[in-house]
Amino acid sequence: MLALSELPTCPGLFYGSRARDGILSRMRIPGGILNAQQCRTIADLVDRYSTGCLQVTNRANLQIRDLNSPVSDELWQDLLELGLASSRVEVDPIRNIMASPTAGIDRQQLLDTRPLVKAWDDYLQTHPELSELSPKFSIGFDGGESVSIRDLRNDILLAAEGRSAKSEIVFRLHLNGETGILIQESQCISVLAALASTYLEYTKNRSRIDGKKPRLRHLLADWGAEIYLERVERNLPFVVQRRSIASSEKSIPNHRHLGIYPQQQSGFSYMGIALPLGRLESKQLRNLANLAQNLASGTLRLTPWQNLLISDIPNSQLFEVKQQVADLGLHSSATRLDSCLVACAGSSGCASAATDTQSHALAMARDLAQKLTIDLPINIHFSGCEKSCAQHRPIDITLVGIQIERGHEAIEGYKIYAGRKDLPFGRPIFPAVSAAEMPGAIERMLQVYQRFREPLESFGEFVDRQAIDQLQEFLNTENGNLK
């Protein structure tokens, strides 16, 4: 463990980072998959060293806040033996490897990406020189699942497209956008290694930016994708294929992992469980692990949407699993306001935040649950500042924290945006709403949507097709006089 004075800004398992609410530690879970024994050990760790709560992050990590003492060497060894700790301390801070939470069980998948996730993690563990890369260096594998991660931000994404003439799965390479490069399954690790090696050479010749290691996006801004790829190809023993860049795809809904769905394996299903803001008590994690072991395969899968799945449930056990999940105070519905709710740490945990996003988000969901019912998922994102750490693209509703001058004091408030049309947050709807007024503003937006939408139209689609003046007219009309 590092001394507190040495704590880095990006937390890992072997050392935490300072946050406003204490020391924050983050556990990488490649691909987000845990077995029951791992879950129980994590629950014991949280009970012993923290406040009994943890969070699933937007990269399917597990995050422990408010650590009260260093973790013993004995426990670190236990974590290593269970596959929960990196064998190389140096590479531990590098971002978690992302994959679909339904990898290997999705009925739509082209390929099970779990072996690729393991192969790339093994590569990282045996190449400690890659610790010189930015800890934000991120890799994602999409196997063509219905629960897709293609819309989520990764420095490098390999997205399965189909089969080659030799019947091998082919991936498209994305570098913050499509490149036109096609890679065969057997070439994936070699290509990733060359991409990382070329990036590493760049960092050796580039000074730090604001005290931090240069990101891959800085390389792309300096060189451009074509020069980068040309240099990468020099380090490959084969020639990569090129094809015209695919047309942009429609945004992918991020709620398909919630609920109960049949698996690729006949007679089995998975259940996606909502965790409001990714929060999970240690006793809930322990009980979910026991449930999964007793009634399924003993596997929990964390999602980049801060929820989790229980996989491999025999269809004959679905009713019992659903009942036991409800007994833990959890649910699998995608049409509750706390199901698709995202928030950054907020002012209680981050000095950059202007508002207490976590408490405001949960209070809003509780308040509106008493006043209205929704029949389609609504994605709502609370960001304490404009850095938007928890969500990197516009979704249905985004609230950005601000300080509002009222008289001689400043109070917490939000700018409210909606829809997916305009970057970075959507279309501006309300320029300044106090935290106290905010639930009423969201309620009015949802009422207008429910009254004027087309059948099965999502909130984002409804907002994006409206002229902004028409939308403002709807929202500024008294509820009783809505047309």
Side-chain angles (χ1 to χ4, degrees), residues 261 294 303:
Y261 296 90
N294 294 333
T303 85

Side-chain angles (χ1 to χ4, degrees), residues 168-211:
E168 189 171 6
I169 290 294
V170 173
F171 289 81
R172 280 190 180 266
L173 172 65
H174 296 248
L175 300 172
N176 196 27
E178 235 264 70
T179 64
I181 298 290
L182 298 182
I183 303 167
Q184 296 180 32
E185 178 188 350
S186 59
Q187 300 171 335
C188 286
I189 302 305
S190 296
V191 170
L192 289 176
L195 287 163
S197 176
T198 305
Y199 172 30
L200 182 61
E201 288 301 312
Y202 169 83
T203 64
K204 292 178 180 178
N205 299 301
R206 175 69 186 263
S207 59
R208 290 185 170 235
I209 301 170
D210 297 328

